[in-house]
């Protein structure tokens, strides 16, 4: 669920990019997300290999320097970094994405588990940052801050 949420945050990020093809960007859809592999990385993180099916009716999109920060009550619960990838234009395709999830400095796995509580979830925020390149245009850094986590989860449902 949190992975699908992160992908949705990335899609929100893409919608913030101004371009002539914006109507088609709005139609960009994550069809499915599957976790292929989870690789422990010490006691505070995991590596993830994801299989993500995306329907992209618009132009080719290249994403790099992708990261997200999950916060609750001013406390950083976790950080996610995704390896660069390119969504092919005018296709529905499955992409293999690699990501690293690291707990925040003072966060525990129990803090993440508390997000299952409705009141806690309503106060959680996500910051997303990435460089986005449409076709061959110059890359543009996009940052979205303080996105309500509940809003992103509702968008996925």
């Amino acid at each position: 669920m949190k992975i699908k949420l992160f992908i949705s945050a990335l899609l929100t990020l893409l919608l913030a990019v101004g371009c002539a093809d914006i109507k088609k960007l709005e139609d960009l859809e994550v069809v499915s997300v599957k976790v292929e592999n989870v690789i422990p990385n010490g006691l505070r993180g995991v590596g993830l290999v994801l299989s993500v099916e995306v329907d992209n009716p618009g132009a080719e999109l290249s994403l790099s320097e992708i990261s997200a920060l999950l916060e609750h009550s001013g406390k950083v619960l976790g950080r996610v970094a995704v390896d660069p990838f390119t969504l092919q234009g005018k296709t529905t395709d499955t992409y293999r994405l690699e990501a690293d999830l690291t707990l925040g400095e003072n966060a525990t796995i129990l803090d993440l588990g508390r997000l299952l509580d409705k009141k806690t979830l309503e106060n959680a925020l996500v910051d997303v940052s990435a460089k986005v390149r449409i076709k061959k245009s110059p890359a543009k850094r996009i940052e979205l801050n303080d996105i309500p986590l509940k809003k992103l989860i509702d968008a996925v449902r």
Side-chain angles (χ1 to χ4, degrees), residues 97-127:
L97 305 181
E98 295 187 18
D100 290 311
L101 171 64
T102 307
L103 286 175
E105 189 174 314
N106 296 317
T108 67
I109 200 73
L110 293 175
D111 291 327
L112 288 177
R114 288 187 186 103
L115 292 175
L116 297 175
D117 175 61
K118 197 173 192 176
K119 286 184 181 180
T120 305
L121 181 64
E122 289 177 358
N123 295 318
L125 301 172
V126 178
D127 296 341

Side-chain angles (χ1 to χ4, degrees), residues 6 46 67-70 76-81 100-105:
F6 179 70
V46 294
S67 64
L69 182 75
L70 176 61
V76 175
L77 298 181
R79 300 174 195 280
V80 177
D100 290 311
L101 171 64
T102 307
L103 286 175
E105 189 174 314

Side-chain angles (χ1 to χ4, degrees), residues 12-20 22 25 61 132-134 140 142:
T12 303
L13 182 76
L14 292 173
L15 294 177
V17 177
C19 73
I22 193 70
L25 276 178
L61 298 168
V132 180
R133 181 177 176 176
I134 299 171
K140 180 178 180 183
I142 304 296

